[in-house]
Amino acid sequence: DTAVSQTPKYLVTQMGNDKSIKCEQNLGHDTMYWYKQDSKKFLKIMFSYNNKELIINETVPNRFSPKSPDKAHLNLHINSLELGDSAVYFCASSQDNHNTDTQYFGPGTRLTVL
Amino acid sequence: GQQVMQIPQYQHVQEGEDFTTYCNSSTTLSNIQWYKQRPGGHPVFLIQLVKSGEVKKQKRLTFQFGEAKKNSSLHITATQTTDVGTYFCAGSKYNFNKFYFGSGTKLNVKP
């Protein structure tokens, strides 16, 4: 069974479109994250939710809106996509939001904006 | 700006050679984690260091946390082709519940 799953795995779209990426974890964790990994492999945290509540919101354009319908799901909606949004987006989860918790990453969604 | 620096960016070694990647922070960290990302894959947790001067081993991998808790290293003895991937450190500061990932070191091992 996949612990952290994301859909879709690949996403190719035109500039200006709106798209969503979905994430689900079956580990019973309370905290979920979205990371962006650019072409240089930098991993940058974007958002973190703990029990459906937003706890980390880094300097991310407000075109990005996370939504957590329940603690097992954290979706990412992106409006008006731009070329610079092209990256691999990783969802992750951890038991809680303590800084000693291990993070479990999903397989990633490779977003290409044309 | 980048909170945690990692060097080198790339390392190419012959199979059997040793490999080390270093992680440095300008501020004291509460703990540090190490992750490995295989090509085309996702980061996978390797280990966590919490105590000053801590050393942990996993088979051929040795992890160290500096005395000042500002730096860390991962050393692989006698690399194998299965070690290929990008190794990331991720540091967390006291009273903060997020990790700052280093820029990663991409290891290539030639058979």
Side-chain angles (χ1 to χ4, degrees):
Chain A
D1 283 344
T2 306
V4 182
S5 59
Q6 293 178 230
T7 54
K9 193 168 171 60
Y10 300 96
L11 187 50
V12 181
T13 188
Q14 300 284 337
M15 272 176 59
N17 283 351
D18 302 340
K19 290 292 178 187
S20 291
I21 309 172
K22 295 187 176 182
C23 179
E24 176 181 1
Q25 54 95 4
N26 62 6
L27 297 167
H29 288 168
D30 285 345
T31 304
M32 296 183 73
Y33 311 81
W34 277 111
Y35 283 87
K36 179 181 179 181
Q37 187 172 48
D38 61 23
S39 57
K40 293 185 180 177
K41 296 292 189 183
F42 284 117
L43 256 175
K44 240 190 127 178
I45 190 163
M46 301 172 70
F47 302 103
S48 172
Y49 272 73
N50 181 256
N51 268 319
K52 301 193 297 175
E53 278 194 40
L54 181 66
I55 54 170
I56 293 174
N57 184 353
E58 290 294 279
T59 313
V60 177
N62 57 15
R63 298 182 294 105
F64 290 78
S65 51
K67 280 194 176 56
S68 183
D70 55 63
K71 70 175 193 178
H73 295 84
L74 180 61
N75 304 323
L76 184 65
H77 187 76
I78 316 171
N79 288 327
S80 303
L81 279 156
E82 299 177 358
L83 292 176
D85 297 332
S86 295
V88 179
Y89 291 84
F90 285 103
C91 175
S93 74
S94 63
Q95 185 65 55
D96 210 321
N97 63 340
H98 302 136
N99 61 6
T100 51
D101 291 332
T102 300
Q103 294 183 56
Y104 295 83
F105 284 80
T109 296
R110 183 174 291 276
L111 171 64
T112 303
V113 182
L114 304 174
Chain B
Q2 196 71 11
Q3 306 274 353
V4 176
M5 304 302 296
Q6 196 172 346
I7 56 169
Q9 194 175 357
Y10 302 99
Q11 186 83 57
H12 301 273
V13 300
Q14 199 71 39
E15 191 171 22
E17 291 180 341
D18 293 355
F19 158 77
T20 305
T21 172
Y22 301 90
C23 199
N24 292 290
S25 168
S26 55
T27 57
T28 303
L29 301 171
S30 67
N31 56 302
I32 198 158
Q33 296 181 350
W34 284 91
Y35 290 79
K36 176 183 178 181
Q37 184 177 16
R38 292 182 187 273
H42 58 277
V44 174
F45 174 80
L46 292 176
I47 210 156
Q48 175 167 255
L49 304 168
V50 179
K51 299 176 187 173
S52 167
E54 189 169 13
V55 177
K56 285 188 177 179
K57 292 192 175 189
Q58 285 180 352
K59 297 183 181 177
R60 295 178 294 104
L61 277 61
T62 302
F63 303 84
Q64 291 190 354
F65 202 6
E67 293 290 340
K69 300 182 78 173
K70 286 185 175 183
N71 55 67
S72 182
S73 65
L74 156 58
H75 179 82
I76 303 179
T77 305
T79 54
Q80 299 175 0
T81 54
T82 52
D83 295 327
V84 164
T86 301
Y87 292 84
F88 292 96
C89 61
S92 180
K93 299 179 184 178
Y94 289 100
N95 301 321
F96 282 85
N97 59 0
K98 65 182 175 185
F99 280 91
Y100 296 93
F101 276 79
S103 48
T105 295
K106 187 173 180 180
L107 171 65
N108 188 35
V109 180
K110 290 177 284 187

